[in-house]
Amino acid sequence: MNDLYQRSIEIILKNQSPSGGYIASPNFPTYHYCWFRDGSFIAYAMDLAGEHESAHRFHQWVAERVNERKDLVHASIIKVHSGEKLTEAEILHTRYRLDGTDGEPGNWPNFQLDGFGTWLWALNEHRKLNPATELSQELLSAAELVADYLSELWMLPCYDCWEEFPDNVHPHTLAAIYGGLHAHTELTGKSHQAVTDTIQKQLLADAKASGHFVKFPNSPAVDASLVGLAIPYSVIALDDPIMLKTIEQIESTILHENGLHRYSKDTYYGGGAWVLLTAWLGWYYIELAKKCPDLNDGLQQKIQACKTWVEAHSQAGFALPEQVAENLNVSSYYSTWVERWGDIASPLLWSHAKYIILYLKSSVP
Ligand code: BGC
């Protein structure tokens, strides 16, 4: 067992609040929240690492947030169904303080749907990785509310997983909803097929012009979050030609010296290479190599390159940052962000989670 793996688990456990939420980054004041998106990947990593109790407490924490907003969920569904627009006060937020309250109103966009899909996916994985554990009624009720909410709202433009571009419908967001609704069907037997089929068709139609998935419709470039379409959300097979071409585009445009960037025009902290994305790409290569052992595409070297890159970028105390200021897209933006929010977030718990996933998946034959 290596030190970075061991420390990653310790860092996550140390930064889980007694109530169950995981703080996104303890040393970065702007990230003193728990996001469903980050937290769900963290809980999955903890389940893989055998830390089921930690994952369970996170899922309980999410269920409390959702169930206490039951009336809001019902009201938003009715409103959208009748064609009305929702205001910021009428949606489920994407991030919460650790005590479960909403953040400051109005100063940070909250309408992001991907994290709810990711949560349903992680909850189902939690159940699969703990076959002896029955999910409580509280968890199942929250899952039902989230599934109903996504089934009604899925087609609305919203902020993407990087909290940007609110006027678009994002392939990664759609895929997370697809994966989440499938997971809910597996959990409860309730079918969401009409919605998931439509999402899949829409994604394939949007990829038709370029032969690969794109950041969002009419934007020809790729975004690293498109890896999620295959793993973990399975809206497309790992070795589907469209997915392979998407990965090729990612490799040729936003992978620099083995570190993966979010997208080529990203300016956040200058647009460096992200630890969690490099590990995510490694996870994709691992699953592809397992599915297609005959695919001779240097996959083992690529997996090793992702691992080595992440390990080489751990900092004092084995902390993994959110991103690394190397090969910046627009270097002048680096200091702008440092002045605004301080040094790059580190440790970022989501980075540690993705490393745990990469480490464990690459160790299992
Ligand atoms: C990222 C989000 C993430 C949040 C907390 C933001 O900069 O764009 O994806 O959820 O940080 O880690």
Side-chain angles (χ1 to χ4, degrees), residues 24-25 28 30-31 33 35-39 94-95 108 112 114 160-164 262 268 274 276 322 341 345 348-350:
S25 176
F28 191 74
T30 321
Y31 287 0
Y33 290 95
W35 273 258
F36 281 18
R37 169 175 46 247
D38 300 39
T94 191
R95 70 186 89 71
W108 201 353
Q112 302 166 27
D114 63 297
D160 65 11
C161 62
W162 311 132
E163 321 209 292
E164 297 174 331
R262 298 197 297 186
Y268 185 51
W274 280 50
L276 72 96
E322 179 180 60
W341 282 357
L348 186 87
L349 270 63
W350 188 11

PDB file of all heavy atoms in Angstrom, residues 24-25 28 30-31 33 35-39 94-95 108 112 114 160-164 262 268 274 276 322 341 345 348-350, ligand 1:
ATOM      1  N   ALA A  24     -15.242  20.352   0.650  1.00  0.00           N
ATOM      2  CA  ALA A  24     -14.552  20.182  -0.641  1.00  0.00           C
ATOM      3  C   ALA A  24     -13.048  20.381  -0.484  1.00  0.00           C
ATOM      4  O   ALA A  24     -12.254  19.609  -1.016  1.00  0.00           O
ATOM      5  CB  ALA A  24     -15.123  21.148  -1.678  1.00  0.00           C
ATOM      6  N   SER A  25     -12.656  21.418   0.276  1.00  0.00           N
ATOM      7  CA  SER A  25     -11.221  21.655   0.508  1.00  0.00           C
ATOM      8  C   SER A  25     -11.065  22.460   1.794  1.00  0.00           C
ATOM      9  O   SER A  25     -11.549  23.589   1.875  1.00  0.00           O
ATOM     10  CB  SER A  25     -10.611  22.432  -0.658  1.00  0.00           C
ATOM     11  OG  SER A  25      -9.261  22.723  -0.387  1.00  0.00           O
ATOM     12  N   PHE A  28      -9.121  26.101   1.671  1.00  0.00           N
ATOM     13  CA  PHE A  28      -9.516  27.054   0.626  1.00  0.00           C
ATOM     14  C   PHE A  28     -10.893  27.579   1.035  1.00  0.00           C
ATOM     15  O   PHE A  28     -11.909  26.895   0.824  1.00  0.00           O
ATOM     16  CB  PHE A  28      -9.571  26.284  -0.699  1.00  0.00           C
ATOM     17  CG  PHE A  28      -9.700  27.130  -1.944  1.00  0.00           C
ATOM     18  CD1 PHE A  28      -8.620  27.857  -2.432  1.00  0.00           C
ATOM     19  CD2 PHE A  28     -10.901  27.158  -2.655  1.00  0.00           C
ATOM     20  CE1 PHE A  28      -8.734  28.593  -3.602  1.00  0.00           C
ATOM     21  CE2 PHE A  28     -11.027  27.891  -3.819  1.00  0.00           C
ATOM     22  CZ  PHE A  28      -9.935  28.620  -4.309  1.00  0.00           C
ATOM     23  N   THR A  30     -13.149  29.456   0.029  1.00  0.00           N
ATOM     24  CA  THR A  30     -14.286  29.489  -0.900  1.00  0.00           C
ATOM     25  C   THR A  30     -14.951  28.108  -1.018  1.00  0.00           C
ATOM     26  O   THR A  30     -16.112  28.018  -1.410  1.00  0.00           O
ATOM     27  CB  THR A  30     -13.799  29.938  -2.296  1.00  0.00           C
ATOM     28  OG1 THR A  30     -12.823  30.953  -2.120  1.00  0.00           O
ATOM     29  CG2 THR A  30     -14.920  30.461  -3.138  1.00  0.00           C
ATOM     30  N   TYR A  31     -14.208  27.064  -0.723  1.00  0.00           N
ATOM     31  CA  TYR A  31     -14.743  25.700  -0.882  1.00  0.00           C
ATOM     32  C   TYR A  31     -15.156  25.068   0.455  1.00  0.00           C
ATOM     33  O   TYR A  31     -15.098  23.844   0.615  1.00  0.00           O
ATOM     34  CB  TYR A  31     -13.708  24.790  -1.553  1.00  0.00           C
ATOM     35  CG  TYR A  31     -13.449  25.007  -3.023  1.00  0.00           C
ATOM     36  CD1 TYR A  31     -14.112  25.983  -3.762  1.00  0.00           C
ATOM     37  CD2 TYR A  31     -12.539  24.200  -3.700  1.00  0.00           C
ATOM     38  CE1 TYR A  31     -13.846  26.167  -5.114  1.00  0.00           C
ATOM     39  CE2 TYR A  31     -12.276  24.370  -5.053  1.00  0.00           C
ATOM     40  CZ  TYR A  31     -12.939  25.363  -5.748  1.00  0.00           C
ATOM     41  OH  TYR A  31     -12.671  25.525  -7.098  1.00  0.00           O
ATOM     42  N   TYR A  33     -17.745  24.115   1.578  1.00  0.00           N
ATOM     43  CA  TYR A  33     -19.092  23.568   1.365  1.00  0.00           C
ATOM     44  C   TYR A  33     -18.954  22.093   1.033  1.00  0.00           C
ATOM     45  O   TYR A  33     -17.864  21.614   0.696  1.00  0.00           O
ATOM     46  CB  TYR A  33     -19.763  24.236   0.156  1.00  0.00           C
ATOM     47  CG  TYR A  33     -20.149  25.671   0.362  1.00  0.00           C
ATOM     48  CD1 TYR A  33     -19.299  26.700  -0.042  1.00  0.00           C
ATOM     49  CD2 TYR A  33     -21.371  26.007   0.939  1.00  0.00           C
ATOM     50  CE1 TYR A  33     -19.653  28.027   0.135  1.00  0.00           C
ATOM     51  CE2 TYR A  33     -21.728  27.333   1.119  1.00  0.00           C
ATOM     52  CZ  TYR A  33     -20.870  28.342   0.713  1.00  0.00           C
ATOM     53  OH  TYR A  33     -21.236  29.651   0.893  1.00  0.00           O
ATOM     54  N   TRP A  35     -20.359  19.630  -1.799  1.00  0.00           N
ATOM     55  CA  TRP A  35     -21.069  19.508  -3.085  1.00  0.00           C
ATOM     56  C   TRP A  35     -21.531  18.054  -3.242  1.00  0.00           C
ATOM     57  O   TRP A  35     -20.770  17.129  -2.936  1.00  0.00           O
ATOM     58  CB  TRP A  35     -20.117  19.784  -4.243  1.00  0.00           C
ATOM     59  CG  TRP A  35     -19.921  21.182  -4.707  1.00  0.00           C
ATOM     60  CD1 TRP A  35     -20.481  21.747  -5.810  1.00  0.00           C
ATOM     61  CD2 TRP A  35     -19.054  22.190  -4.162  1.00  0.00           C
ATOM     62  NE1 TRP A  35     -20.019  23.039  -5.964  1.00  0.00           N
ATOM     63  CE2 TRP A  35     -19.154  23.335  -4.974  1.00  0.00           C
ATOM     64  CE3 TRP A  35     -18.212  22.246  -3.038  1.00  0.00           C
ATOM     65  CZ2 TRP A  35     -18.443  24.509  -4.715  1.00  0.00           C
ATOM     66  CZ3 TRP A  35     -17.503  23.416  -2.779  1.00  0.00           C
ATOM     67  CH2 TRP A  35     -17.632  24.516  -3.605  1.00  0.00           C
ATOM     68  N   PHE A  36     -22.729  17.862  -3.781  1.00  0.00           N
ATOM     69  CA  PHE A  36     -23.177  16.488  -4.064  1.00  0.00           C
ATOM     70  C   PHE A  36     -22.222  15.821  -5.062  1.00  0.00           C
ATOM     71  O   PHE A  36     -21.938  14.640  -4.978  1.00  0.00           O
ATOM     72  CB  PHE A  36     -24.584  16.489  -4.664  1.00  0.00           C
ATOM     73  CG  PHE A  36     -25.696  16.666  -3.652  1.00  0.00           C
ATOM     74  CD1 PHE A  36     -25.450  17.168  -2.390  1.00  0.00           C
ATOM     75  CD2 PHE A  36     -27.000  16.314  -3.980  1.00  0.00           C
ATOM     76  CE1 PHE A  36     -26.478  17.330  -1.468  1.00  0.00           C
ATOM     77  CE2 PHE A  36     -28.039  16.462  -3.066  1.00  0.00           C
ATOM     78  CZ  PHE A  36     -27.779  16.976  -1.814  1.00  0.00           C
ATOM     79  N   ARG A  37     -21.763  16.616  -6.058  1.00  0.00           N
ATOM     80  CA  ARG A  37     -20.884  16.060  -7.103  1.00  0.00           C
ATOM     81  C   ARG A  37     -19.592  15.519  -6.489  1.00  0.00           C
ATOM     82  O   ARG A  37     -19.270  14.339  -6.615  1.00  0.00           O
ATOM     83  CB  ARG A  37     -20.579  17.175  -8.114  1.00  0.00           C
ATOM     84  CG  ARG A  37     -19.503  16.863  -9.109  1.00  0.00           C
ATOM     85  CD  ARG A  37     -19.362  17.973 -10.153  1.00  0.00           C
ATOM     86  NE  ARG A  37     -19.348  19.318  -9.600  1.00  0.00           N
ATOM     87  CZ  ARG A  37     -20.296  20.225  -9.790  1.00  0.00           C
ATOM     88  NH1 ARG A  37     -21.331  19.971 -10.546  1.00  0.00           N
ATOM     89  NH2 ARG A  37     -20.211  21.431  -9.238  1.00  0.00           N
ATOM     90  N   ASP A  38     -18.857  16.401  -5.792  1.00  0.00           N
ATOM     91  CA  ASP A  38     -17.584  15.976  -5.197  1.00  0.00           C
ATOM     92  C   ASP A  38     -17.841  14.839  -4.209  1.00  0.00           C
ATOM     93  O   ASP A  38     -17.165  13.806  -4.222  1.00  0.00           O
ATOM     94  CB  ASP A  38     -16.935  17.118  -4.405  1.00  0.00           C
ATOM     95  CG  ASP A  38     -16.618  18.368  -5.211  1.00  0.00           C
ATOM     96  OD1 ASP A  38     -17.428  18.744  -6.076  1.00  0.00           O
ATOM     97  OD2 ASP A  38     -15.572  18.982  -4.955  1.00  0.00           O
ATOM     98  N   GLY A  39     -18.832  15.065  -3.330  1.00  0.00           N
ATOM     99  CA  GLY A  39     -19.077  14.119  -2.235  1.00  0.00           C
ATOM    100  C   GLY A  39     -19.428  12.728  -2.732  1.00  0.00           C
ATOM    101  O   GLY A  39     -19.024  11.719  -2.134  1.00  0.00           O
ATOM    102  N   THR A  94     -26.743  23.082  -5.406  1.00  0.00           N
ATOM    103  CA  THR A  94     -25.694  22.118  -5.747  1.00  0.00           C
ATOM    104  C   THR A  94     -24.721  21.904  -4.590  1.00  0.00           C
ATOM    105  O   THR A  94     -24.051  20.892  -4.506  1.00  0.00           O
ATOM    106  CB  THR A  94     -24.941  22.596  -7.009  1.00  0.00           C
ATOM    107  OG1 THR A  94     -24.120  21.559  -7.484  1.00  0.00           O
ATOM    108  CG2 THR A  94     -24.090  23.832  -6.759  1.00  0.00           C
ATOM    109  N   ARG A  95     -24.631  22.881  -3.686  1.00  0.00           N
ATOM    110  CA  ARG A  95     -23.694  22.783  -2.550  1.00  0.00           C
ATOM    111  C   ARG A  95     -24.376  23.312  -1.286  1.00  0.00           C
ATOM    112  O   ARG A  95     -25.236  24.192  -1.354  1.00  0.00           O
ATOM    113  CB  ARG A  95     -22.403  23.571  -2.839  1.00  0.00           C
ATOM    114  CG  ARG A  95     -22.557  25.056  -2.858  1.00  0.00           C
ATOM    115  CD  ARG A  95     -21.300  25.778  -3.291  1.00  0.00           C
ATOM    116  NE  ARG A  95     -21.278  25.949  -4.738  1.00  0.00           N
ATOM    117  CZ  ARG A  95     -22.084  26.786  -5.397  1.00  0.00           C
ATOM    118  NH1 ARG A  95     -22.983  27.527  -4.751  1.00  0.00           N
ATOM    119  NH2 ARG A  95     -22.041  26.877  -6.709  1.00  0.00           N
ATOM    120  N   TRP A 108     -23.607  32.867  -5.899  1.00  0.00           N
ATOM    121  CA  TRP A 108     -22.893  31.780  -6.567  1.00  0.00           C
ATOM    122  C   TRP A 108     -23.944  30.873  -7.205  1.00  0.00           C
ATOM    123  O   TRP A 108     -24.832  30.395  -6.505  1.00  0.00           O
ATOM    124  CB  TRP A 108     -22.064  30.995  -5.539  1.00  0.00           C
ATOM    125  CG  TRP A 108     -20.931  30.215  -6.150  1.00  0.00           C
ATOM    126  CD1 TRP A 108     -20.661  30.024  -7.467  1.00  0.00           C
ATOM    127  CD2 TRP A 108     -19.928  29.518  -5.414  1.00  0.00           C
ATOM    128  NE1 TRP A 108     -19.534  29.252  -7.606  1.00  0.00           N
ATOM    129  CE2 TRP A 108     -19.066  28.928  -6.366  1.00  0.00           C
ATOM    130  CE3 TRP A 108     -19.669  29.335  -4.050  1.00  0.00           C
ATOM    131  CZ2 TRP A 108     -17.965  28.166  -5.993  1.00  0.00           C
ATOM    132  CZ3 TRP A 108     -18.579  28.575  -3.692  1.00  0.00           C
ATOM    133  CH2 TRP A 108     -17.722  27.999  -4.658  1.00  0.00           C
ATOM    134  N   GLN A 112     -27.420  23.373 -11.038  1.00  0.00           N
ATOM    135  CA  GLN A 112     -26.548  22.384 -11.693  1.00  0.00           C
ATOM    136  C   GLN A 112     -27.163  21.026 -11.405  1.00  0.00           C
ATOM    137  O   GLN A 112     -27.351  20.670 -10.248  1.00  0.00           O
ATOM    138  CB  GLN A 112     -25.143  22.415 -11.078  1.00  0.00           C
ATOM    139  CG  GLN A 112     -24.475  23.756 -11.168  1.00  0.00           C
ATOM    140  CD  GLN A 112     -23.238  23.858 -10.274  1.00  0.00           C
ATOM    141  OE1 GLN A 112     -22.599  22.870  -9.977  1.00  0.00           O
ATOM    142  NE2 GLN A 112     -22.917  25.070  -9.867  1.00  0.00           N
ATOM    143  N   ASP A 114     -26.049  17.880 -12.566  1.00  0.00           N
ATOM    144  CA  ASP A 114     -25.240  16.654 -12.649  1.00  0.00           C
ATOM    145  C   ASP A 114     -25.033  15.972 -11.293  1.00  0.00           C
ATOM    146  O   ASP A 114     -25.067  14.743 -11.187  1.00  0.00           O
ATOM    147  CB  ASP A 114     -23.877  16.942 -13.311  1.00  0.00           C
ATOM    148  CG  ASP A 114     -23.027  17.913 -12.522  1.00  0.00           C
ATOM    149  OD1 ASP A 114     -23.461  19.070 -12.361  1.00  0.00           O
ATOM    150  OD2 ASP A 114     -21.954  17.521 -12.032  1.00  0.00           O
ATOM    151  N   ASP A 160     -22.807  23.945 -15.899  1.00  0.00           N
ATOM    152  CA  ASP A 160     -22.163  22.637 -16.069  1.00  0.00           C
ATOM    153  C   ASP A 160     -21.412  22.239 -14.790  1.00  0.00           C
ATOM    154  O   ASP A 160     -21.475  22.942 -13.776  1.00  0.00           O
ATOM    155  CB  ASP A 160     -21.246  22.651 -17.306  1.00  0.00           C
ATOM    156  CG  ASP A 160     -20.066  23.606 -17.181  1.00  0.00           C
ATOM    157  OD1 ASP A 160     -19.803  24.124 -16.070  1.00  0.00           O
ATOM    158  OD2 ASP A 160     -19.380  23.836 -18.197  1.00  0.00           O
ATOM    159  N   CYS A 161     -20.690  21.135 -14.862  1.00  0.00           N
ATOM    160  CA  CYS A 161     -20.016  20.651 -13.647  1.00  0.00           C
ATOM    161  C   CYS A 161     -18.872  21.559 -13.220  1.00  0.00           C
ATOM    162  O   CYS A 161     -18.354  21.422 -12.111  1.00  0.00           O
ATOM    163  CB  CYS A 161     -19.534  19.208 -13.836  1.00  0.00           C
ATOM    164  SG  CYS A 161     -18.334  19.038 -15.164  1.00  0.00           S
ATOM    165  N   TRP A 162     -18.480  22.502 -14.091  1.00  0.00           N
ATOM    166  CA  TRP A 162     -17.455  23.491 -13.696  1.00  0.00           C
ATOM    167  C   TRP A 162     -18.130  24.791 -13.278  1.00  0.00           C
ATOM    168  O   TRP A 162     -17.483  25.818 -13.164  1.00  0.00           O
ATOM    169  CB  TRP A 162     -16.461  23.740 -14.845  1.00  0.00           C
ATOM    170  CG  TRP A 162     -15.912  22.488 -15.459  1.00  0.00           C
ATOM    171  CD1 TRP A 162     -15.836  22.200 -16.786  1.00  0.00           C
ATOM    172  CD2 TRP A 162     -15.337  21.360 -14.781  1.00  0.00           C
ATOM    173  NE1 TRP A 162     -15.271  20.964 -16.977  1.00  0.00           N
ATOM    174  CE2 TRP A 162     -14.963  20.423 -15.760  1.00  0.00           C
ATOM    175  CE3 TRP A 162     -15.119  21.034 -13.434  1.00  0.00           C
ATOM    176  CZ2 TRP A 162     -14.371  19.185 -15.450  1.00  0.00           C
ATOM    177  CZ3 TRP A 162     -14.547  19.810 -13.121  1.00  0.00           C
ATOM    178  CH2 TRP A 162     -14.176  18.915 -14.116  1.00  0.00           C
ATOM    179  N   GLU A 163     -19.453  24.772 -13.171  1.00  0.00           N
ATOM    180  CA  GLU A 163     -20.237  25.913 -12.701  1.00  0.00           C
ATOM    181  C   GLU A 163     -20.174  27.083 -13.680  1.00  0.00           C
ATOM    182  O   GLU A 163     -20.058  28.242 -13.295  1.00  0.00           O
ATOM    183  CB  GLU A 163     -19.779  26.326 -11.286  1.00  0.00           C
ATOM    184  CG  GLU A 163     -19.464  25.100 -10.448  1.00  0.00           C
ATOM    185  CD  GLU A 163     -19.681  25.267  -8.968  1.00  0.00           C
ATOM    186  OE1 GLU A 163     -18.928  26.032  -8.383  1.00  0.00           O
ATOM    187  OE2 GLU A 163     -20.601  24.636  -8.430  1.00  0.00           O
ATOM    188  N   GLU A 164     -20.217  26.750 -14.963  1.00  0.00           N
ATOM    189  CA  GLU A 164     -20.127  27.745 -16.034  1.00  0.00           C
ATOM    190  C   GLU A 164     -21.202  27.478 -17.099  1.00  0.00           C
ATOM    191  O   GLU A 164     -21.876  26.460 -17.061  1.00  0.00           O
ATOM    192  CB  GLU A 164     -18.740  27.672 -16.690  1.00  0.00           C
ATOM    193  CG  GLU A 164     -17.599  28.004 -15.739  1.00  0.00           C
ATOM    194  CD  GLU A 164     -16.209  27.791 -16.357  1.00  0.00           C
ATOM    195  OE1 GLU A 164     -16.052  26.928 -17.235  1.00  0.00           O
ATOM    196  OE2 GLU A 164     -15.283  28.482 -15.949  1.00  0.00           O
ATOM    197  N   ARG A 262      -9.197  21.006 -18.161  1.00  0.00           N
ATOM    198  CA  ARG A 262     -10.663  20.896 -18.281  1.00  0.00           C
ATOM    199  C   ARG A 262     -11.108  21.115 -19.726  1.00  0.00           C
ATOM    200  O   ARG A 262     -11.812  20.302 -20.294  1.00  0.00           O
ATOM    201  CB  ARG A 262     -11.360  21.919 -17.369  1.00  0.00           C
ATOM    202  CG  ARG A 262     -11.075  21.723 -15.891  1.00  0.00           C
ATOM    203  CD  ARG A 262     -12.071  22.445 -15.004  1.00  0.00           C
ATOM    204  NE  ARG A 262     -12.051  23.894 -15.149  1.00  0.00           N
ATOM    205  CZ  ARG A 262     -12.750  24.731 -14.383  1.00  0.00           C
ATOM    206  NH1 ARG A 262     -13.549  24.257 -13.423  1.00  0.00           N
ATOM    207  NH2 ARG A 262     -12.679  26.031 -14.565  1.00  0.00           N
ATOM    208  N   TYR A 268      -9.675  29.497 -15.445  1.00  0.00           N
ATOM    209  CA  TYR A 268      -9.686  29.435 -13.968  1.00  0.00           C
ATOM    210  C   TYR A 268      -8.272  29.093 -13.492  1.00  0.00           C
ATOM    211  O   TYR A 268      -7.728  28.063 -13.868  1.00  0.00           O
ATOM    212  CB  TYR A 268     -10.710  28.376 -13.543  1.00  0.00           C
ATOM    213  CG  TYR A 268     -10.931  28.255 -12.038  1.00  0.00           C
ATOM    214  CD1 TYR A 268     -11.208  29.373 -11.245  1.00  0.00           C
ATOM    215  CD2 TYR A 268     -10.901  27.004 -11.423  1.00  0.00           C
ATOM    216  CE1 TYR A 268     -11.437  29.238  -9.880  1.00  0.00           C
ATOM    217  CE2 TYR A 268     -11.136  26.866 -10.068  1.00  0.00           C
ATOM    218  CZ  TYR A 268     -11.392  27.990  -9.299  1.00  0.00           C
ATOM    219  OH  TYR A 268     -11.620  27.857  -7.941  1.00  0.00           O
ATOM    220  N   TRP A 274      -5.641  19.259 -14.211  1.00  0.00           N
ATOM    221  CA  TRP A 274      -6.396  18.871 -13.012  1.00  0.00           C
ATOM    222  C   TRP A 274      -6.046  17.443 -12.581  1.00  0.00           C
ATOM    223  O   TRP A 274      -6.060  16.508 -13.408  1.00  0.00           O
ATOM    224  CB  TRP A 274      -7.897  18.991 -13.287  1.00  0.00           C
ATOM    225  CG  TRP A 274      -8.382  20.411 -13.173  1.00  0.00           C
ATOM    226  CD1 TRP A 274      -7.838  21.513 -13.768  1.00  0.00           C
ATOM    227  CD2 TRP A 274      -9.492  20.883 -12.397  1.00  0.00           C
ATOM    228  NE1 TRP A 274      -8.531  22.642 -13.417  1.00  0.00           N
ATOM    229  CE2 TRP A 274      -9.556  22.295 -12.582  1.00  0.00           C
ATOM    230  CE3 TRP A 274     -10.440  20.281 -11.574  1.00  0.00           C
ATOM    231  CZ2 TRP A 274     -10.527  23.089 -11.964  1.00  0.00           C
ATOM    232  CZ3 TRP A 274     -11.411  21.067 -10.966  1.00  0.00           C
ATOM    233  CH2 TRP A 274     -11.451  22.454 -11.153  1.00  0.00           C
ATOM    234  N   LEU A 276      -7.843  15.462 -10.556  1.00  0.00           N
ATOM    235  CA  LEU A 276      -8.978  14.528 -10.592  1.00  0.00           C
ATOM    236  C   LEU A 276      -9.280  14.095 -12.021  1.00  0.00           C
ATOM    237  O   LEU A 276      -9.749  12.972 -12.253  1.00  0.00           O
ATOM    238  CB  LEU A 276     -10.215  15.132  -9.907  1.00  0.00           C
ATOM    239  CG  LEU A 276     -10.978  16.267 -10.590  1.00  0.00           C
ATOM    240  CD1 LEU A 276     -12.165  15.749 -11.367  1.00  0.00           C
ATOM    241  CD2 LEU A 276     -11.435  17.276  -9.556  1.00  0.00           C
ATOM    242  N   GLU A 322      -6.252  20.824  -6.459  1.00  0.00           N
ATOM    243  CA  GLU A 322      -7.299  20.753  -7.487  1.00  0.00           C
ATOM    244  C   GLU A 322      -6.647  20.739  -8.862  1.00  0.00           C
ATOM    245  O   GLU A 322      -6.938  19.899  -9.695  1.00  0.00           O
ATOM    246  CB  GLU A 322      -8.204  21.977  -7.356  1.00  0.00           C
ATOM    247  CG  GLU A 322      -9.318  22.051  -8.373  1.00  0.00           C
ATOM    248  CD  GLU A 322     -10.189  23.289  -8.187  1.00  0.00           C
ATOM    249  OE1 GLU A 322      -9.655  24.416  -8.268  1.00  0.00           O
ATOM    250  OE2 GLU A 322     -11.402  23.124  -7.969  1.00  0.00           O
ATOM    251  N   TRP A 341      -8.952  34.574  -4.706  1.00  0.00           N
ATOM    252  CA  TRP A 341      -9.347  33.477  -3.800  1.00  0.00           C
ATOM    253  C   TRP A 341      -8.181  32.796  -3.066  1.00  0.00           C
ATOM    254  O   TRP A 341      -8.388  31.833  -2.345  1.00  0.00           O
ATOM    255  CB  TRP A 341     -10.126  32.404  -4.593  1.00  0.00           C
ATOM    256  CG  TRP A 341     -11.568  32.802  -4.854  1.00  0.00           C
ATOM    257  CD1 TRP A 341     -12.209  33.918  -4.421  1.00  0.00           C
ATOM    258  CD2 TRP A 341     -12.552  32.040  -5.593  1.00  0.00           C
ATOM    259  NE1 TRP A 341     -13.525  33.922  -4.855  1.00  0.00           N
ATOM    260  CE2 TRP A 341     -13.760  32.780  -5.581  1.00  0.00           C
ATOM    261  CE3 TRP A 341     -12.535  30.821  -6.269  1.00  0.00           C
ATOM    262  CZ2 TRP A 341     -14.932  32.337  -6.197  1.00  0.00           C
ATOM    263  CZ3 TRP A 341     -13.704  30.377  -6.894  1.00  0.00           C
ATOM    264  CH2 TRP A 341     -14.888  31.131  -6.860  1.00  0.00           C
ATOM    265  N   ALA A 345      -6.705  25.447  -4.498  1.00  0.00           N
ATOM    266  CA  ALA A 345      -7.220  24.604  -3.399  1.00  0.00           C
ATOM    267  C   ALA A 345      -6.374  23.336  -3.247  1.00  0.00           C
ATOM    268  O   ALA A 345      -6.131  22.629  -4.218  1.00  0.00           O
ATOM    269  CB  ALA A 345      -8.669  24.230  -3.691  1.00  0.00           C
ATOM    270  N   LEU A 348      -7.657  18.951  -2.181  1.00  0.00           N
ATOM    271  CA  LEU A 348      -9.033  18.897  -2.681  1.00  0.00           C
ATOM    272  C   LEU A 348      -9.480  17.448  -2.506  1.00  0.00           C
ATOM    273  O   LEU A 348      -8.858  16.533  -3.054  1.00  0.00           O
ATOM    274  CB  LEU A 348      -9.108  19.306  -4.157  1.00  0.00           C
ATOM    275  CG  LEU A 348     -10.546  19.404  -4.676  1.00  0.00           C
ATOM    276  CD1 LEU A 348     -11.126  20.807  -4.418  1.00  0.00           C
ATOM    277  CD2 LEU A 348     -10.657  19.083  -6.166  1.00  0.00           C
ATOM    278  N   LEU A 349     -10.550  17.242  -1.740  1.00  0.00           N
ATOM    279  CA  LEU A 349     -10.932  15.857  -1.417  1.00  0.00           C
ATOM    280  C   LEU A 349     -11.317  15.061  -2.664  1.00  0.00           C
ATOM    281  O   LEU A 349     -11.081  13.848  -2.745  1.00  0.00           O
ATOM    282  CB  LEU A 349     -12.066  15.840  -0.377  1.00  0.00           C
ATOM    283  CG  LEU A 349     -11.573  15.816   1.081  1.00  0.00           C
ATOM    284  CD1 LEU A 349     -10.786  17.058   1.440  1.00  0.00           C
ATOM    285  CD2 LEU A 349     -12.718  15.599   2.057  1.00  0.00           C
ATOM    286  N   TRP A 350     -11.914  15.754  -3.633  1.00  0.00           N
ATOM    287  CA  TRP A 350     -12.308  15.050  -4.874  1.00  0.00           C
ATOM    288  C   TRP A 350     -11.063  14.529  -5.605  1.00  0.00           C
ATOM    289  O   TRP A 350     -11.089  13.462  -6.217  1.00  0.00           O
ATOM    290  CB  TRP A 350     -13.141  16.008  -5.734  1.00  0.00           C
ATOM    291  CG  TRP A 350     -13.805  15.447  -6.945  1.00  0.00           C
ATOM    292  CD1 TRP A 350     -13.935  14.123  -7.294  1.00  0.00           C
ATOM    293  CD2 TRP A 350     -14.455  16.181  -7.991  1.00  0.00           C
ATOM    294  NE1 TRP A 350     -14.621  14.014  -8.485  1.00  0.00           N
ATOM    295  CE2 TRP A 350     -14.954  15.251  -8.932  1.00  0.00           C
ATOM    296  CE3 TRP A 350     -14.683  17.545  -8.215  1.00  0.00           C
ATOM    297  CZ2 TRP A 350     -15.652  15.641 -10.085  1.00  0.00           C
ATOM    298  CZ3 TRP A 350     -15.384  17.924  -9.365  1.00  0.00           C
ATOM    299  CH2 TRP A 350     -15.857  16.986 -10.283  1.00  0.00           C
TER     300      TRP A 350
HETATM  301  C1  BGC B   1     -15.429  23.050  -9.667  1.00  0.00           C
HETATM  302  C2  BGC B   1     -16.596  22.188  -9.271  1.00  0.00           C
HETATM  303  C3  BGC B   1     -16.387  21.616  -7.894  1.00  0.00           C
HETATM  304  C4  BGC B   1     -16.007  22.708  -6.885  1.00  0.00           C
HETATM  305  C5  BGC B   1     -15.586  22.129  -5.539  1.00  0.00           C
HETATM  306  C6  BGC B   1     -15.218  24.114  -8.607  1.00  0.00           C
HETATM  307  O1  BGC B   1     -14.132  24.893  -8.988  1.00  0.00           O
HETATM  308  O2  BGC B   1     -15.666  23.672 -10.915  1.00  0.00           O
HETATM  309  O3  BGC B   1     -16.710  21.126 -10.167  1.00  0.00           O
HETATM  310  O4  BGC B   1     -17.542  20.960  -7.483  1.00  0.00           O
HETATM  311  O5  BGC B   1     -14.948  23.464  -7.380  1.00  0.00           O
HETATM  312  O6  BGC B   1     -14.549  21.220  -5.679  1.00  0.00           O
END
